[in-house]
Amino acid sequence: KVFEMDMKIFSKLSKLFPPGQDFAHTLYTYRSVSRPIPMNANTLGIPSTCTDQQKQEIIDRNDDNNERIIDVLRPEIAKLKEFMVFSGGLVLNFKNAIEYLSSPEMRDKSIPEEIYRTMICALTLLITLDYMKDMKTCFKNDFQRYKQAINMRSEKLSILENSDIVEEMAQMQIFLSHPDPRKAK
């Protein structure tokens, strides 16, 4: 039974290494997608000399821009969400391994060296991914631009779609935020 649990922990953690390396490559090579996208016209600063038709044209143009911004950034935000889910799974598997190894039944048992090596590799991967995520400001820039476009388009989205997007954005905001941006985790 102990051997079976050891192998289960070992296999769960080692299965996460190949996708973790893929995420590390993605994080390392990621460049901002939102930077080259033109900014919307400021609707608050529309001159009073503009006619209602001109104002509506500016608002419609901004609306079209926001739709395009969402279309362009959605795949990148989906990658970021996938990375967030992967990180959560890695942390959960690592936590489960620690709980198992520190359980009362394992105190007197001999733990294979390979489990310790695997846990060290998993922790190294987690730290590397977290550090790279925190050091790349382009994630936050792309996310902020996406969030801005979604907020501008929120009244045109269906209620069901809107609540899913709001919940997703709240989770992403927590994932990307850091109490002190000058320090990596």
Side-chain angles (χ1 to χ4, degrees):
K1 179 161 168 102
V2 171
F3 179 73
E4 183 181 327
M5 280 302 292
D6 290 349
M7 293 314 299
K8 192 181 279 189
I9 288 172
F10 176 76
S11 74
K12 280 184 179 181
L13 285 175
S14 30
K15 281 181 187 175
L16 295 172
F17 294 150
Q21 292 301 321
D22 290 343
F23 280 117
H25 292 294
T26 301
L27 290 174
Y28 184 75
T29 59
Y30 188 85
R31 298 295 177 256
S32 179
V33 177
S34 67
R35 182 178 284 168
I37 298 173
M39 296 299 282
N40 286 337
N42 185 1
T43 55
L44 298 176
I46 297 175
S48 58
T49 57
C50 287
T51 65
D52 288 339
Q53 182 182 3
Q54 289 172 328
K55 289 178 185 178
Q56 189 59 42
E57 285 175 8
I58 291 172
I59 291 170
D60 288 344
R61 196 172 37 235
N62 282 350
D63 199 37
D64 288 343
N65 261 356
N66 287 330
E67 193 172 329
R68 288 186 188 119
I69 289 169
I70 291 169
D71 290 343
V72 168
L73 289 178
R74 184 73 192 148
E76 303 307 315
I77 298 302
K79 287 179 196 174
L80 199 54
K81 184 178 179 187
E82 192 178 316
F83 171 58
M84 179 181 74
V85 169
F86 172 80
S87 292
L90 183 59
V91 168
L92 182 66
N93 282 318
F94 191 81
K95 179 186 86 82
N96 290 341
I98 294 288
E99 286 175 351
Y100 170 71
L101 294 175
S102 62
S103 66
E105 65 217 24
M106 288 303 293
R107 289 206 177 123
D108 298 333
K109 305 277 194 266
S110 174
I111 298 169
E113 189 74 25
E114 195 58 34
I115 288 187
Y116 286 127
R117 280 194 204 113
T118 304
M119 289 179 68
I120 289 170
C121 288
L123 188 60
T124 303
L125 178 64
L126 187 62
I127 290 169
T128 303
L129 291 173
D130 198 48
Y131 181 75
M132 288 170 71
K133 173 192 63 106
D134 288 340
M135 295 308 290
K136 291 271 192 163
T137 58
C138 52
F139 293 125
K140 293 176 186 161
N141 294 342
D142 285 356
F143 179 70
Q144 290 302 327
R145 191 74 187 275
Y146 177 75
K147 190 169 135 181
Q148 223 173 25
I150 289 287
N151 287 338
M152 296 294 183
R153 297 257 322 142
S154 63
E155 66 274 356
K156 296 196 192 285
L157 297 170
S158 71
I159 293 172
L160 177 66
E161 223 177 64
N162 198 12
S163 65
D164 291 343
I165 290 173
V166 168
E167 182 180 329
E168 178 183 90
M169 287 193 322
Q171 290 173 348
M172 296 289 287
Q173 185 73 43
I174 292 168
F175 180 68
L176 290 173
S177 65
H178 189 274
D180 185 0
R182 295 172 293 162
K183 297 179 182 175
K185 291 183 183 174

